[in-house]
Amino acid sequence: MGPKTPTNPKTAYLITIFKVFPGEDREKLERSWLLWTGARMIYKHLPHCLGLRRITFHKKLWADGGITYVLLCECLSLLDHITVACGFVEQLRARCCGYTALYRCTDRKSVV
Protein backbone atom coordinates (compact mmCIF):
# COMPACT_ATOMS: atom_id res chain seq x y z
CA MET A 1 0.00 0.00 0.00
CA GLY A 2 1.48 3.33 -1.04
CA PRO A 3 1.24 6.70 0.66
CA LYS A 4 -2.15 8.39 0.79
CA THR A 5 -2.55 11.30 -1.60
CA PRO A 6 -4.56 14.21 -0.23
CA THR A 7 -7.94 14.61 -1.90
CA ASN A 8 -8.23 18.28 -0.93
CA PRO A 9 -5.79 20.72 -2.61
CA LYS A 10 -5.73 22.81 0.59
CA THR A 11 -4.42 19.89 2.66
CA ALA A 12 -0.98 20.37 4.15
CA TYR A 13 1.10 18.68 6.82
CA LEU A 14 2.76 19.66 10.04
CA ILE A 15 5.80 17.38 10.28
CA THR A 16 8.20 16.99 13.17
CA ILE A 17 11.35 14.86 12.95
CA PHE A 18 13.25 13.50 15.96
CA LYS A 19 16.64 11.76 15.98
CA VAL A 20 17.34 9.35 18.83
CA PHE A 21 20.90 8.20 19.25
CA PRO A 22 22.10 4.67 20.18
CA GLY A 23 21.80 4.01 23.89
CA GLU A 24 18.59 6.00 24.42
CA ASP A 25 15.76 4.17 26.17
CA ARG A 26 13.62 3.35 23.11
CA GLU A 27 10.94 1.44 24.95
CA LYS A 28 10.24 4.31 27.33
CA LEU A 29 10.21 6.80 24.43
CA GLU A 30 7.83 4.69 22.38
CA ARG A 31 5.44 4.23 25.29
CA SER A 32 5.30 7.97 25.98
CA TRP A 33 5.41 9.29 22.40
CA LEU A 34 2.17 11.25 22.77
CA LEU A 35 3.84 13.45 25.35
CA TRP A 36 7.42 14.00 24.15
CA THR A 37 6.54 14.41 20.45
CA GLY A 38 3.96 17.08 21.17
CA ALA A 39 1.17 14.93 19.68
CA ARG A 40 -1.00 15.41 22.75
CA MET A 41 -0.43 19.18 22.64
CA ILE A 42 -1.29 19.24 18.94
CA TYR A 43 -4.46 17.20 19.46
CA LYS A 44 -5.65 19.41 22.31
CA HIS A 45 -4.48 22.86 21.16
CA LEU A 46 -4.18 22.92 17.37
CA PRO A 47 -6.67 25.57 16.20
CA HIS A 48 -9.83 23.90 14.86
CA CYS A 49 -9.73 26.08 11.75
CA LEU A 50 -6.70 24.06 10.53
CA GLY A 51 -8.87 20.95 10.18
CA LEU A 52 -6.78 18.24 11.87
CA ARG A 53 -7.61 14.98 10.12
CA ARG A 54 -5.06 12.55 11.55
CA ILE A 55 -1.85 12.24 13.50
CA THR A 56 0.53 9.38 12.69
CA PHE A 57 3.84 8.36 14.26
CA HIS A 58 6.53 6.65 12.17
CA LYS A 59 9.86 5.04 13.04
CA LYS A 60 13.00 4.39 10.96
CA LEU A 61 15.83 2.21 12.29
CA TRP A 62 19.37 2.99 11.10
CA ALA A 63 22.30 0.55 10.79
CA ASP A 64 24.29 2.44 13.46
CA GLY A 65 21.55 1.75 16.02
CA GLY A 66 20.05 5.22 15.85
CA ILE A 67 16.38 5.86 15.25
CA THR A 68 14.50 8.61 13.49
CA TYR A 69 10.91 9.25 14.50
CA VAL A 70 8.48 11.29 12.41
CA LEU A 71 5.24 12.81 13.64
CA LEU A 72 2.89 13.59 10.74
CA CYS A 73 -0.22 15.71 11.25
CA GLU A 74 -2.56 16.03 8.27
CA CYS A 75 -4.62 19.24 8.25
CA LEU A 76 -7.39 19.73 5.70
CA SER A 77 -7.56 23.56 5.87
CA LEU A 78 -3.99 24.48 6.78
CA LEU A 79 -3.36 26.43 3.58
CA ASP A 80 -6.45 28.59 4.24
CA HIS A 81 -5.02 29.63 7.61
CA ILE A 82 -1.27 29.65 7.01
CA THR A 83 -0.59 32.50 9.46
CA VAL A 84 -2.35 30.63 12.27
CA ALA A 85 -0.40 27.46 11.36
CA CYS A 86 2.93 29.29 11.40
CA GLY A 87 2.16 30.69 14.84
CA PHE A 88 1.40 27.20 16.13
CA VAL A 89 4.63 25.84 14.63
CA GLU A 90 6.55 28.49 16.57
CA GLN A 91 4.91 27.23 19.77
CA LEU A 92 6.10 23.70 18.95
CA ARG A 93 9.61 24.92 18.16
CA ALA A 94 9.75 26.69 21.54
CA ARG A 95 9.68 23.21 23.10
CA CYS A 96 13.19 22.65 21.60
CA CYS A 97 12.29 19.09 20.70
CA GLY A 98 12.73 17.96 17.09
CA TYR A 99 12.64 19.81 13.80
CA THR A 100 9.18 21.07 12.84
CA ALA A 101 7.94 22.49 9.54
CA LEU A 102 4.89 22.78 7.31
CA TYR A 103 4.69 20.89 4.03
CA ARG A 104 2.23 20.57 1.19
CA CYS A 105 2.02 18.20 -1.75
CA THR A 106 2.50 19.63 -5.21
CA ASP A 107 1.50 18.26 -8.58
CA ARG A 108 4.77 17.12 -10.13
CA LYS A 109 3.13 16.89 -13.56
CA SER A 110 2.75 20.67 -13.72
CA VAL A 111 6.44 21.34 -13.01
CA VAL A 112 8.37 22.16 -16.18
Side-chain angles (χ1 to χ4, degrees), residues 20-37:
V20 179
F21 298 101
E24 296 289 329
D25 187 353
R26 294 181 208 175
E27 290 180 27
K28 185 176 180 182
L29 286 174
E30 289 176 16
R31 280 194 309 264
S32 63
W33 72 272
L34 287 169
L35 183 62
W36 65 267
T37 62

Side-chain angles (χ1 to χ4, degrees), residues 17-26 29-30 36 58-70:
I17 300 172
F18 309 90
K19 177 74 174 171
V20 179
F21 298 101
E24 296 289 329
D25 187 353
R26 294 181 208 175
L29 286 174
E30 289 176 16
W36 65 267
H58 306 271
K59 173 172 118 175
K60 166 72 174 164
L61 300 173
W62 296 97
D64 67 357
I67 303 174
T68 299
Y69 293 104
V70 176

Side-chain angles (χ1 to χ4, degrees), residues 9-97:
K10 296 180 181 184
T11 296
Y13 300 88
L14 190 154
I15 299 175
T16 306
I17 300 172
F18 309 90
K19 177 74 174 171
V20 179
F21 298 101
E24 296 289 329
D25 187 353
R26 294 181 208 175
E27 290 180 27
K28 185 176 180 182
L29 286 174
E30 289 176 16
R31 280 194 309 264
S32 63
W33 72 272
L34 287 169
L35 183 62
W36 65 267
T37 62
R40 182 170 300 174
M41 178 186 163
I42 292 167
Y43 182 75
K44 288 183 174 184
H45 301 290
L46 186 78
H48 291 289
C49 65
L50 299 181
L52 179 64
R53 180 171 180 231
R54 65 183 167 144
I55 298 175
T56 56
F57 185 58
H58 306 271
K59 173 172 118 175
K60 166 72 174 164
L61 300 173
W62 296 97
D64 67 357
I67 303 174
T68 299
Y69 293 104
V70 176
L71 183 70
L72 176 74
C73 304
E74 182 178 354
C75 299
L76 299 176
S77 304
L78 194 145
L79 295 177
D80 284 336
H81 305 280
I82 195 74
T83 304
V84 173
C86 288
F88 192 78
V89 165
E90 288 306 313
Q91 291 176 21
L92 291 174
R93 287 181 178 158
R95 298 174 65 242
C96 298
C97 182

